[in-house]
Amino acid sequence: MSIGSPAWISTIVDGAGMLGMRLSAKQAEEFAVHARELVHWNRKVNLTAITDPFDMAVKHYLDSIIAVPLIDDHMTADSGASLLDVGSGAGFPGIPLKIVRPSLSVTLLEARRKRVNYLKQAIRSLQIGGIHVRRQRFEDVPQEERFDLIVCRAFADLEPFVRSALPMLNGNGMVVAYKGRHDGRLAAEIEGLRAMEGQGGSGSTKGGGSRIRVAVRQCRLPYIQTERTLVTVRTLKSLN
C-alpha cells in the first residue's frame, strides 16, 4: 500500500464509515496530498514517527476525524465555526477536520518555526482557504480572543489545558481533548474537570464564571482497535 493508492483511499473511506461518517474519495485524496507533504518534510524536520502508509491512514487521519460527530452534534451545519488547533505540529487534527468540514475557519497554532514553515507549505499544496498558521505558544494567545472550538491532541495534562482554553471559548464554544486509553491517570484528570463543574468552571470564561459541562466519549480506531477517549468541555449556556 502506498499513500494515495486505491487501497489507501479505501482504507480512509471505509474506516470513516466504521466511525459513522461518510467521506468522499476526493476528501481522502486531499488527505493523501497532505500525507505526501508530511513524508517529504519529515526527512528534514521531526514531524512524526508514524510513516507507514497504513498506520498514517489510521493513526493520523482517521484518528483526527473521530471528533467530527461531536463537532456536528454541537455546531449547526455550515456555521462557519472558528476552530483553534493547539500545538498542531504535523497538522493534526486541524487539517483533516478542515478537509472533512470545509465550512470551519481553522487556525493551526504551532510554536516551532520549522513546523510552521511545513504547515504553510502543506496548506499551499492543498489549495484550500479558511485555514491559516500562527507561530505562537498557547499560553501567549491573548485571552480576549474567542473561538467556537478548541482542539488538541498534543498535550500531557488535561486540566491545565482546559483551564487555559475555557476563557477563549465563545458562548457556544467547546473544548475537545484527544486522549488515549481511559486508564486510572486519565480517570483522575477527568475527575478534576468534573470538580470544576461545581465551581463555575474556570471562573474566567466569557460572561464570568459560567458553569461548564464535561463529557467523555470512548471509541476505538478502525482496523487496529486502539482505544481513544475524547473529553469535551463546554459552557452550560451552549447546551439546549
Side-chain angles (χ1 to χ4, degrees), residues 20-71:
M21 284 176 272
R22 295 185 64 180
L23 201 68
S24 69
K26 182 179 182 298
Q27 288 170 320
E29 288 163 1
E30 288 181 312
F31 286 176
V33 171
H34 176 231
R36 292 189 190 100
E37 201 69 52
L38 172 55
V39 169
H40 173 73
W41 277 74
N42 202 53
R43 298 188 184 106
K44 53 186 176 180
V45 180
N46 182 24
L47 295 167
T48 180
I50 300 171
T51 57
D52 174 79
F54 174 81
D55 286 344
M56 290 181 71
V58 177
K59 296 179 182 179
H60 278 328
Y61 294 96
L62 293 178
D63 181 67
S64 291
I65 66 173
I66 57 173
V68 168
L70 288 173
I71 293 171

mmCIF file of all heavy atoms in Angstrom, residues 20-71:
data_model
loop_
_atom_site.group_PDB
_atom_site.id
_atom_site.type_symbol
_atom_site.label_atom_id
_atom_site.label_comp_id
_atom_site.label_asym_id
_atom_site.label_seq_id
_atom_site.Cartn_x
_atom_site.Cartn_y
_atom_site.Cartn_z
ATOM 1 N N GLY A 20 -18.955 5.980 11.475
ATOM 2 C CA GLY A 20 -20.266 6.585 11.292
ATOM 3 C C GLY A 20 -20.257 7.833 10.431
ATOM 4 O O GLY A 20 -21.182 8.643 10.501
ATOM 5 N N MET A 21 -19.223 8.000 9.598
ATOM 6 C CA MET A 21 -19.120 9.180 8.753
ATOM 7 C C MET A 21 -19.054 8.797 7.283
ATOM 8 O O MET A 21 -18.501 7.758 6.945
ATOM 9 C CB MET A 21 -17.850 9.967 9.102
ATOM 10 C CG MET A 21 -17.922 10.760 10.371
ATOM 11 S SD MET A 21 -16.313 11.531 10.719
ATOM 12 C CE MET A 21 -15.550 10.206 11.636
ATOM 13 N N ARG A 22 -19.588 9.660 6.451
ATOM 14 C CA ARG A 22 -19.451 9.490 5.013
ATOM 15 C C ARG A 22 -18.343 10.402 4.526
ATOM 16 O O ARG A 22 -18.400 11.618 4.690
ATOM 17 C CB ARG A 22 -20.765 9.830 4.308
ATOM 18 C CG ARG A 22 -21.911 8.883 4.646
ATOM 19 C CD ARG A 22 -23.133 9.202 3.833
ATOM 20 N NE ARG A 22 -22.904 9.004 2.402
ATOM 21 C CZ ARG A 22 -23.831 9.213 1.462
ATOM 22 N NH1 ARG A 22 -25.036 9.658 1.807
ATOM 23 N NH2 ARG A 22 -23.552 8.998 0.196
ATOM 24 N N LEU A 23 -17.338 9.805 3.940
ATOM 25 C CA LEU A 23 -16.185 10.546 3.445
ATOM 26 C C LEU A 23 -16.048 10.254 1.954
ATOM 27 O O LEU A 23 -16.142 9.097 1.530
ATOM 28 C CB LEU A 23 -14.919 10.103 4.193
ATOM 29 C CG LEU A 23 -13.729 11.050 4.187
ATOM 30 C CD1 LEU A 23 -14.041 12.304 5.000
ATOM 31 C CD2 LEU A 23 -12.506 10.362 4.767
ATOM 32 N N SER A 24 -15.835 11.281 1.169
ATOM 33 C CA SER A 24 -15.708 11.078 -0.275
ATOM 34 C C SER A 24 -14.281 10.684 -0.641
ATOM 35 O O SER A 24 -13.328 10.950 0.101
ATOM 36 C CB SER A 24 -16.086 12.364 -1.020
ATOM 37 O OG SER A 24 -15.114 13.364 -0.796
ATOM 38 N N ALA A 25 -14.143 10.054 -1.807
ATOM 39 C CA ALA A 25 -12.811 9.710 -2.294
ATOM 40 C C ALA A 25 -11.984 10.977 -2.495
ATOM 41 O O ALA A 25 -10.776 10.987 -2.261
ATOM 42 C CB ALA A 25 -12.912 8.924 -3.595
ATOM 43 N N LYS A 26 -12.623 12.078 -2.920
ATOM 44 C CA LYS A 26 -11.910 13.345 -3.111
ATOM 45 C C LYS A 26 -11.319 13.836 -1.788
ATOM 46 O O LYS A 26 -10.175 14.320 -1.752
ATOM 47 C CB LYS A 26 -12.852 14.398 -3.682
ATOM 48 C CG LYS A 26 -12.174 15.741 -3.953
ATOM 49 C CD LYS A 26 -13.154 16.735 -4.550
ATOM 50 C CE LYS A 26 -12.457 18.064 -4.877
ATOM 51 N NZ LYS A 26 -11.916 18.724 -3.672
ATOM 52 N N GLN A 27 -12.079 13.716 -0.712
ATOM 53 C CA GLN A 27 -11.549 14.139 0.593
ATOM 54 C C GLN A 27 -10.376 13.258 1.015
ATOM 55 O O GLN A 27 -9.371 13.746 1.530
ATOM 56 C CB GLN A 27 -12.661 14.103 1.639
ATOM 57 C CG GLN A 27 -13.682 15.227 1.464
ATOM 58 C CD GLN A 27 -14.902 15.054 2.339
ATOM 59 O OE1 GLN A 27 -15.416 13.951 2.514
ATOM 60 N NE2 GLN A 27 -15.371 16.156 2.910
ATOM 61 N N ALA A 28 -10.506 11.958 0.760
ATOM 62 C CA ALA A 28 -9.391 11.055 1.079
ATOM 63 C C ALA A 28 -8.168 11.380 0.231
ATOM 64 O O ALA A 28 -7.030 11.279 0.699
ATOM 65 C CB ALA A 28 -9.818 9.598 0.870
ATOM 66 N N GLU A 29 -8.394 11.786 -1.009
ATOM 67 C CA GLU A 29 -7.276 12.181 -1.867
ATOM 68 C C GLU A 29 -6.606 13.464 -1.354
ATOM 69 O O GLU A 29 -5.388 13.633 -1.484
ATOM 70 C CB GLU A 29 -7.768 12.368 -3.302
ATOM 71 C CG GLU A 29 -8.092 11.038 -3.990
ATOM 72 C CD GLU A 29 -8.942 11.207 -5.233
ATOM 73 O OE1 GLU A 29 -9.269 12.371 -5.576
ATOM 74 O OE2 GLU A 29 -9.304 10.181 -5.856
ATOM 75 N N GLU A 30 -7.397 14.351 -0.743
ATOM 76 C CA GLU A 30 -6.798 15.541 -0.128
ATOM 77 C C GLU A 30 -5.968 15.150 1.092
ATOM 78 O O GLU A 30 -4.912 15.741 1.346
ATOM 79 C CB GLU A 30 -7.894 16.528 0.254
ATOM 80 C CG GLU A 30 -8.536 17.206 -0.937
ATOM 81 C CD GLU A 30 -9.604 18.195 -0.541
ATOM 82 O OE1 GLU A 30 -10.482 17.844 0.286
ATOM 83 O OE2 GLU A 30 -9.586 19.323 -1.051
ATOM 84 N N PHE A 31 -6.425 14.155 1.812
ATOM 85 C CA PHE A 31 -5.589 13.620 2.889
ATOM 86 C C PHE A 31 -4.241 13.161 2.318
ATOM 87 O O PHE A 31 -3.189 13.371 2.932
ATOM 88 C CB PHE A 31 -6.266 12.424 3.565
ATOM 89 C CG PHE A 31 -7.423 12.750 4.468
ATOM 90 C CD1 PHE A 31 -8.155 11.730 5.055
ATOM 91 C CD2 PHE A 31 -7.788 14.050 4.743
ATOM 92 C CE1 PHE A 31 -9.211 12.005 5.902
ATOM 93 C CE2 PHE A 31 -8.855 14.337 5.586
ATOM 94 C CZ PHE A 31 -9.574 13.310 6.157
ATOM 95 N N ALA A 32 -4.293 12.517 1.163
ATOM 96 C CA ALA A 32 -3.067 11.997 0.550
ATOM 97 C C ALA A 32 -2.113 13.129 0.164
ATOM 98 O O ALA A 32 -0.889 12.992 0.299
ATOM 99 C CB ALA A 32 -3.411 11.154 -0.679
ATOM 100 N N VAL A 33 -2.659 14.253 -0.314
ATOM 101 C CA VAL A 33 -1.813 15.412 -0.637
ATOM 102 C C VAL A 33 -1.064 15.858 0.615
ATOM 103 O O VAL A 33 0.153 16.093 0.589
ATOM 104 C CB VAL A 33 -2.666 16.572 -1.201
ATOM 105 C CG1 VAL A 33 -1.829 17.848 -1.338
ATOM 106 C CG2 VAL A 33 -3.260 16.183 -2.554
ATOM 107 N N HIS A 34 -1.784 15.954 1.699
ATOM 108 C CA HIS A 34 -1.162 16.340 2.964
ATOM 109 C C HIS A 34 -0.150 15.290 3.417
ATOM 110 O O HIS A 34 0.958 15.628 3.865
ATOM 111 C CB HIS A 34 -2.240 16.542 4.027
ATOM 112 C CG HIS A 34 -1.697 16.856 5.387
ATOM 113 N ND1 HIS A 34 -2.079 16.166 6.512
ATOM 114 C CD2 HIS A 34 -0.779 17.764 5.798
ATOM 115 C CE1 HIS A 34 -1.434 16.646 7.569
ATOM 116 N NE2 HIS A 34 -0.642 17.619 7.163
ATOM 117 N N ALA A 35 -0.502 14.025 3.300
ATOM 118 C CA ALA A 35 0.376 12.942 3.754
ATOM 119 C C ALA A 35 1.692 12.938 2.983
ATOM 120 O O ALA A 35 2.764 12.726 3.565
ATOM 121 C CB ALA A 35 -0.326 11.600 3.610
ATOM 122 N N ARG A 36 1.634 13.152 1.678
ATOM 123 C CA ARG A 36 2.865 13.188 0.875
ATOM 124 C C ARG A 36 3.752 14.356 1.306
ATOM 125 O O ARG A 36 4.972 14.228 1.384
ATOM 126 C CB ARG A 36 2.529 13.293 -0.605
ATOM 127 C CG ARG A 36 1.870 12.052 -1.195
ATOM 128 C CD ARG A 36 1.781 12.152 -2.701
ATOM 129 N NE ARG A 36 0.950 11.101 -3.268
ATOM 130 C CZ ARG A 36 -0.307 11.266 -3.645
ATOM 131 N NH1 ARG A 36 -0.892 12.450 -3.520
ATOM 132 N NH2 ARG A 36 -1.002 10.251 -4.146
ATOM 133 N N GLU A 37 3.141 15.504 1.561
ATOM 134 C CA GLU A 37 3.911 16.662 2.027
ATOM 135 C C GLU A 37 4.548 16.364 3.375
ATOM 136 O O GLU A 37 5.715 16.716 3.625
ATOM 137 C CB GLU A 37 2.993 17.883 2.135
ATOM 138 C CG GLU A 37 3.703 19.213 2.109
ATOM 139 C CD GLU A 37 4.305 19.525 0.743
ATOM 140 O OE1 GLU A 37 3.595 19.456 -0.275
ATOM 141 O OE2 GLU A 37 5.520 19.840 0.731
ATOM 142 N N LEU A 38 3.811 15.678 4.222
ATOM 143 C CA LEU A 38 4.320 15.314 5.545
ATOM 144 C C LEU A 38 5.530 14.397 5.436
ATOM 145 O O LEU A 38 6.554 14.606 6.105
ATOM 146 C CB LEU A 38 3.204 14.645 6.355
ATOM 147 C CG LEU A 38 3.568 14.007 7.697
ATOM 148 C CD1 LEU A 38 4.248 14.994 8.623
ATOM 149 C CD2 LEU A 38 2.313 13.429 8.359
ATOM 150 N N VAL A 39 5.433 13.383 4.598
ATOM 151 C CA VAL A 39 6.544 12.444 4.430
ATOM 152 C C VAL A 39 7.771 13.170 3.872
ATOM 153 O O VAL A 39 8.906 12.934 4.310
ATOM 154 C CB VAL A 39 6.130 11.280 3.511
ATOM 155 C CG1 VAL A 39 7.347 10.446 3.116
ATOM 156 C CG2 VAL A 39 5.092 10.399 4.209
ATOM 157 N N HIS A 40 7.536 14.067 2.919
ATOM 158 C CA HIS A 40 8.657 14.813 2.318
ATOM 159 C C HIS A 40 9.366 15.664 3.364
ATOM 160 O O HIS A 40 10.599 15.636 3.486
ATOM 161 C CB HIS A 40 8.133 15.691 1.183
ATOM 162 C CG HIS A 40 9.167 16.613 0.610
ATOM 163 N ND1 HIS A 40 10.205 16.175 -0.186
ATOM 164 C CD2 HIS A 40 9.324 17.970 0.736
ATOM 165 C CE1 HIS A 40 10.956 17.200 -0.520
ATOM 166 N NE2 HIS A 40 10.456 18.296 0.024
ATOM 167 N N TRP A 41 8.618 16.413 4.134
ATOM 168 C CA TRP A 41 9.210 17.297 5.135
ATOM 169 C C TRP A 41 9.783 16.526 6.318
ATOM 170 O O TRP A 41 10.718 16.998 6.977
ATOM 171 C CB TRP A 41 8.159 18.304 5.623
ATOM 172 C CG TRP A 41 8.034 19.487 4.712
ATOM 173 C CD1 TRP A 41 7.437 19.512 3.489
ATOM 174 C CD2 TRP A 41 8.524 20.804 4.958
ATOM 175 N NE1 TRP A 41 7.517 20.765 2.947
ATOM 176 C CE2 TRP A 41 8.175 21.587 3.821
ATOM 177 C CE3 TRP A 41 9.209 21.404 6.002
ATOM 178 C CZ2 TRP A 41 8.499 22.934 3.731
ATOM 179 C CZ3 TRP A 41 9.526 22.762 5.914
ATOM 180 C CH2 TRP A 41 9.184 23.506 4.793
ATOM 181 N N ASN A 42 9.229 15.361 6.564
ATOM 182 C CA ASN A 42 9.675 14.584 7.722
ATOM 183 C C ASN A 42 11.130 14.132 7.579
ATOM 184 O O ASN A 42 11.776 13.779 8.567
ATOM 185 C CB ASN A 42 8.765 13.361 7.911
ATOM 186 C CG ASN A 42 8.808 12.812 9.321
ATOM 187 O OD1 ASN A 42 8.607 13.544 10.292
ATOM 188 N ND2 ASN A 42 9.077 11.526 9.448
ATOM 189 N N ARG A 43 11.659 14.155 6.343
ATOM 190 C CA ARG A 43 13.057 13.776 6.125
ATOM 191 C C ARG A 43 14.018 14.806 6.717
ATOM 192 O O ARG A 43 15.163 14.490 7.014
ATOM 193 C CB ARG A 43 13.324 13.610 4.628
ATOM 194 C CG ARG A 43 12.489 12.508 3.969
ATOM 195 C CD ARG A 43 12.939 12.261 2.543
ATOM 196 N NE ARG A 43 12.081 11.289 1.879
ATOM 197 C CZ ARG A 43 11.174 11.601 0.958
ATOM 198 N NH1 ARG A 43 11.026 12.871 0.600
ATOM 199 N NH2 ARG A 43 10.425 10.675 0.396
ATOM 200 N N LYS A 44 13.538 16.050 6.873
ATOM 201 C CA LYS A 44 14.425 17.096 7.389
ATOM 202 C C LYS A 44 13.897 17.770 8.656
ATOM 203 O O LYS A 44 14.657 18.445 9.357
ATOM 204 C CB LYS A 44 14.649 18.164 6.313
ATOM 205 C CG LYS A 44 13.383 18.753 5.713
ATOM 206 C CD LYS A 44 13.700 19.700 4.566
ATOM 207 C CE LYS A 44 12.410 20.211 3.909
ATOM 208 N NZ LYS A 44 12.703 21.139 2.795
ATOM 209 N N VAL A 45 12.617 17.580 8.957
ATOM 210 C CA VAL A 45 12.017 18.146 10.167
ATOM 211 C C VAL A 45 11.323 17.023 10.915
ATOM 212 O O VAL A 45 10.564 16.261 10.322
ATOM 213 C CB VAL A 45 10.986 19.251 9.821
ATOM 214 C CG1 VAL A 45 10.371 19.824 11.094
ATOM 215 C CG2 VAL A 45 11.625 20.349 8.994
ATOM 216 N N ASN A 46 11.583 16.925 12.196
ATOM 217 C CA ASN A 46 10.976 15.875 13.000
ATOM 218 C C ASN A 46 9.501 16.181 13.216
ATOM 219 O O ASN A 46 9.132 16.947 14.109
ATOM 220 C CB ASN A 46 11.692 15.747 14.349
ATOM 221 C CG ASN A 46 11.112 14.622 15.190
ATOM 222 O OD1 ASN A 46 10.509 13.683 14.672
ATOM 223 N ND2 ASN A 46 11.284 14.729 16.495
ATOM 224 N N LEU A 47 8.645 15.554 12.407
ATOM 225 C CA LEU A 47 7.214 15.805 12.467
ATOM 226 C C LEU A 47 6.431 14.629 13.034
ATOM 227 O O LEU A 47 5.463 14.810 13.767
ATOM 228 C CB LEU A 47 6.677 16.135 11.065
ATOM 229 C CG LEU A 47 7.194 17.429 10.448
ATOM 230 C CD1 LEU A 47 6.855 17.478 8.968
ATOM 231 C CD2 LEU A 47 6.603 18.636 11.177
ATOM 232 N N THR A 48 6.827 13.420 12.660
ATOM 233 C CA THR A 48 6.094 12.238 13.108
ATOM 234 C C THR A 48 6.982 11.008 13.035
ATOM 235 O O THR A 48 7.850 10.906 12.162
ATOM 236 C CB THR A 48 4.833 12.001 12.245
ATOM 237 O OG1 THR A 48 4.145 10.829 12.707
ATOM 238 C CG2 THR A 48 5.183 11.818 10.772
ATOM 239 N N ALA A 49 6.735 10.079 13.964
ATOM 240 C CA ALA A 49 7.417 8.782 13.917
ATOM 241 C C ALA A 49 6.601 7.775 13.124
ATOM 242 O O ALA A 49 7.059 6.670 12.840
ATOM 243 C CB ALA A 49 7.656 8.268 15.336
ATOM 244 N N ILE A 50 5.381 8.155 12.756
ATOM 245 C CA ILE A 50 4.475 7.268 12.024
ATOM 246 C C ILE A 50 4.607 7.571 10.537
ATOM 247 O O ILE A 50 4.157 8.627 10.064
ATOM 248 C CB ILE A 50 3.019 7.455 12.488
ATOM 249 C CG1 ILE A 50 2.887 7.152 13.977
ATOM 250 C CG2 ILE A 50 2.070 6.582 11.667
ATOM 251 C CD1 ILE A 50 1.540 7.504 14.570
ATOM 252 N N THR A 51 5.222 6.669 9.801
ATOM 253 C CA THR A 51 5.444 6.900 8.371
ATOM 254 C C THR A 51 4.917 5.777 7.482
ATOM 255 O O THR A 51 4.866 5.935 6.260
ATOM 256 C CB THR A 51 6.943 7.096 8.088
ATOM 257 O OG1 THR A 51 7.672 5.961 8.563
ATOM 258 C CG2 THR A 51 7.463 8.360 8.777
ATOM 259 N N ASP A 52 4.555 4.638 8.044
ATOM 260 C CA ASP A 52 3.954 3.573 7.248
ATOM 261 C C ASP A 52 2.609 4.057 6.708
ATOM 262 O O ASP A 52 1.800 4.619 7.473
ATOM 263 C CB ASP A 52 3.749 2.324 8.117
ATOM 264 C CG ASP A 52 3.000 1.243 7.374
ATOM 265 O OD1 ASP A 52 3.626 0.538 6.560
ATOM 266 O OD2 ASP A 52 1.772 1.118 7.602
ATOM 267 N N PRO A 53 2.333 3.879 5.418
ATOM 268 C CA PRO A 53 1.098 4.418 4.843
ATOM 269 C C PRO A 53 -0.178 3.973 5.557
ATOM 270 O O PRO A 53 -1.067 4.804 5.807
ATOM 271 C CB PRO A 53 1.138 3.916 3.391
ATOM 272 C CG PRO A 53 2.597 3.809 3.089
ATOM 273 C CD PRO A 53 3.224 3.327 4.362
ATOM 274 N N PHE A 54 -0.277 2.683 5.884
ATOM 275 C CA PHE A 54 -1.479 2.224 6.584
ATOM 276 C C PHE A 54 -1.579 2.876 7.952
ATOM 277 O O PHE A 54 -2.656 3.348 8.358
ATOM 278 C CB PHE A 54 -1.472 0.698 6.721
ATOM 279 C CG PHE A 54 -2.610 0.169 7.557
ATOM 280 C CD1 PHE A 54 -3.872 0.005 7.011
ATOM 281 C CD2 PHE A 54 -2.421 -0.149 8.897
ATOM 282 C CE1 PHE A 54 -4.933 -0.469 7.784
ATOM 283 C CE2 PHE A 54 -3.470 -0.623 9.680
ATOM 284 C CZ PHE A 54 -4.726 -0.785 9.114
ATOM 285 N N ASP A 55 -0.490 2.899 8.685
ATOM 286 C CA ASP A 55 -0.508 3.496 10.017
ATOM 287 C C ASP A 55 -0.848 4.987 9.947
ATOM 288 O O ASP A 55 -1.571 5.510 10.807
ATOM 289 C CB ASP A 55 0.840 3.310 10.705
ATOM 290 C CG ASP A 55 1.069 1.893 11.187
ATOM 291 O OD1 ASP A 55 0.086 1.130 11.261
ATOM 292 O OD2 ASP A 55 2.233 1.535 11.472
ATOM 293 N N MET A 56 -0.338 5.663 8.929
ATOM 294 C CA MET A 56 -0.682 7.078 8.777
ATOM 295 C C MET A 56 -2.178 7.247 8.531
ATOM 296 O O MET A 56 -2.820 8.128 9.111
ATOM 297 C CB MET A 56 0.109 7.698 7.619
ATOM 298 C CG MET A 56 1.593 7.854 7.891
ATOM 299 S SD MET A 56 2.480 8.624 6.507
ATOM 300 C CE MET A 56 1.886 10.318 6.620
ATOM 301 N N ALA A 57 -2.733 6.396 7.678
ATOM 302 C CA ALA A 57 -4.154 6.485 7.370
ATOM 303 C C ALA A 57 -5.009 6.353 8.623
ATOM 304 O O ALA A 57 -5.969 7.113 8.829
ATOM 305 C CB ALA A 57 -4.536 5.401 6.353
ATOM 306 N N VAL A 58 -4.629 5.404 9.480
ATOM 307 C CA VAL A 58 -5.450 5.108 10.659
ATOM 308 C C VAL A 58 -5.084 5.995 11.844
ATOM 309 O O VAL A 58 -5.958 6.628 12.460
ATOM 310 C CB VAL A 58 -5.311 3.622 11.048
ATOM 311 C CG1 VAL A 58 -6.118 3.316 12.322
ATOM 312 C CG2 VAL A 58 -5.769 2.724 9.902
ATOM 313 N N LYS A 59 -3.788 6.063 12.160
ATOM 314 C CA LYS A 59 -3.362 6.715 13.405
ATOM 315 C C LYS A 59 -3.268 8.231 13.299
ATOM 316 O O LYS A 59 -3.199 8.916 14.326
ATOM 317 C CB LYS A 59 -2.020 6.137 13.844
ATOM 318 C CG LYS A 59 -2.082 4.654 14.193
ATOM 319 C CD LYS A 59 -0.711 4.119 14.601
ATOM 320 C CE LYS A 59 -0.756 2.634 14.911
ATOM 321 N NZ LYS A 59 0.596 2.105 15.295
ATOM 322 N N HIS A 60 -3.253 8.747 12.078
ATOM 323 C CA HIS A 60 -3.258 10.199 11.913
ATOM 324 C C HIS A 60 -4.604 10.695 11.384
ATOM 325 O O HIS A 60 -5.262 11.506 12.028
ATOM 326 C CB HIS A 60 -2.140 10.644 10.975
ATOM 327 C CG HIS A 60 -0.799 10.761 11.643
ATOM 328 N ND1 HIS A 60 -0.645 11.121 12.962
ATOM 329 C CD2 HIS A 60 0.462 10.584 11.148
ATOM 330 C CE1 HIS A 60 0.645 11.158 13.268
ATOM 331 N NE2 HIS A 60 1.334 10.821 12.193
ATOM 332 N N TYR A 61 -5.024 10.180 10.221
ATOM 333 C CA TYR A 61 -6.196 10.766 9.570
ATOM 334 C C TYR A 61 -7.512 10.296 10.174
ATOM 335 O O TYR A 61 -8.360 11.125 10.535
ATOM 336 C CB TYR A 61 -6.120 10.518 8.054
ATOM 337 C CG TYR A 61 -4.960 11.273 7.469
ATOM 338 C CD1 TYR A 61 -3.729 10.644 7.257
ATOM 339 C CD2 TYR A 61 -5.058 12.622 7.195
ATOM 340 C CE1 TYR A 61 -2.637 11.349 6.780
ATOM 341 C CE2 TYR A 61 -3.972 13.341 6.707
ATOM 342 C CZ TYR A 61 -2.765 12.691 6.515
ATOM 343 O OH TYR A 61 -1.682 13.404 6.059
ATOM 344 N N LEU A 62 -7.703 9.002 10.319
ATOM 345 C CA LEU A 62 -8.934 8.532 10.949
ATOM 346 C C LEU A 62 -8.988 8.961 12.410
ATOM 347 O O LEU A 62 -10.044 9.310 12.928
ATOM 348 C CB LEU A 62 -9.058 7.015 10.813
ATOM 349 C CG LEU A 62 -9.259 6.505 9.382
ATOM 350 C CD1 LEU A 62 -9.315 4.975 9.351
ATOM 351 C CD2 LEU A 62 -10.537 7.082 8.769
ATOM 352 N N ASP A 63 -7.839 8.958 13.058
ATOM 353 C CA ASP A 63 -7.806 9.412 14.450
ATOM 354 C C ASP A 63 -8.230 10.874 14.556
ATOM 355 O O ASP A 63 -8.974 11.247 15.471
ATOM 356 C CB ASP A 63 -6.398 9.234 15.008
ATOM 357 C CG ASP A 63 -6.291 9.669 16.453
ATOM 358 O OD1 ASP A 63 -6.905 9.007 17.310
ATOM 359 O OD2 ASP A 63 -5.605 10.658 16.745
ATOM 360 N N SER A 64 -7.775 11.698 13.631
ATOM 361 C CA SER A 64 -8.114 13.126 13.688
ATOM 362 C C SER A 64 -9.609 13.368 13.538
ATOM 363 O O SER A 64 -10.164 14.270 14.184
ATOM 364 C CB SER A 64 -7.361 13.900 12.602
ATOM 365 O OG SER A 64 -5.976 13.947 12.872
ATOM 366 N N ILE A 65 -10.259 12.596 12.664
ATOM 367 C CA ILE A 65 -11.668 12.893 12.367
ATOM 368 C C ILE A 65 -12.646 12.200 13.297
ATOM 369 O O ILE A 65 -13.860 12.359 13.130
ATOM 370 C CB ILE A 65 -12.000 12.567 10.891
ATOM 371 C CG1 ILE A 65 -11.904 11.066 10.619
ATOM 372 C CG2 ILE A 65 -11.106 13.374 9.951
ATOM 373 C CD1 ILE A 65 -12.397 10.676 9.215
ATOM 374 N N ILE A 66 -12.160 11.485 14.309
ATOM 375 C CA ILE A 66 -13.112 10.846 15.229
ATOM 376 C C ILE A 66 -13.931 11.873 15.995
ATOM 377 O O ILE A 66 -15.002 11.547 16.523
ATOM 378 C CB ILE A 66 -12.430 9.887 16.228
ATOM 379 C CG1 ILE A 66 -11.361 10.610 17.041
ATOM 380 C CG2 ILE A 66 -11.855 8.667 15.520
ATOM 381 C CD1 ILE A 66 -10.764 9.763 18.148
ATOM 382 N N ALA A 67 -13.470 13.115 16.044
ATOM 383 C CA ALA A 67 -14.221 14.154 16.747
ATOM 384 C C ALA A 67 -15.311 14.781 15.899
ATOM 385 O O ALA A 67 -16.119 15.560 16.411
ATOM 386 C CB ALA A 67 -13.274 15.243 17.245
ATOM 387 N N VAL A 68 -15.375 14.456 14.611
ATOM 388 C CA VAL A 68 -16.346 15.096 13.722
ATOM 389 C C VAL A 68 -17.789 14.912 14.195
ATOM 390 O O VAL A 68 -18.556 15.882 14.220
ATOM 391 C CB VAL A 68 -16.164 14.614 12.266
ATOM 392 C CG1 VAL A 68 -17.342 15.036 11.389
ATOM 393 C CG2 VAL A 68 -14.866 15.182 11.694
ATOM 394 N N PRO A 69 -18.218 13.708 14.588
ATOM 395 C CA PRO A 69 -19.607 13.593 15.076
ATOM 396 C C PRO A 69 -19.896 14.487 16.278
ATOM 397 O O PRO A 69 -20.995 15.050 16.389
ATOM 398 C CB PRO A 69 -19.719 12.106 15.437
ATOM 399 C CG PRO A 69 -18.724 11.428 14.554
ATOM 400 C CD PRO A 69 -17.572 12.381 14.484
ATOM 401 N N LEU A 70 -18.934 14.644 17.177
ATOM 402 C CA LEU A 70 -19.125 15.531 18.321
ATOM 403 C C LEU A 70 -19.264 16.985 17.875
ATOM 404 O O LEU A 70 -20.110 17.727 18.378
ATOM 405 C CB LEU A 70 -17.939 15.406 19.280
ATOM 406 C CG LEU A 70 -17.826 14.120 20.092
ATOM 407 C CD1 LEU A 70 -16.506 14.085 20.850
ATOM 408 C CD2 LEU A 70 -18.981 13.992 21.067
ATOM 409 N N ILE A 71 -18.422 17.368 16.921
ATOM 410 C CA ILE A 71 -18.492 18.733 16.399
ATOM 411 C C ILE A 71 -19.822 18.953 15.687
ATOM 412 O O ILE A 71 -20.479 19.993 15.854
ATOM 413 C CB ILE A 71 -17.304 19.008 15.466
ATOM 414 C CG1 ILE A 71 -15.996 19.019 16.282
ATOM 415 C CG2 ILE A 71 -17.485 20.316 14.707
ATOM 416 C CD1 ILE A 71 -14.739 19.069 15.441
#
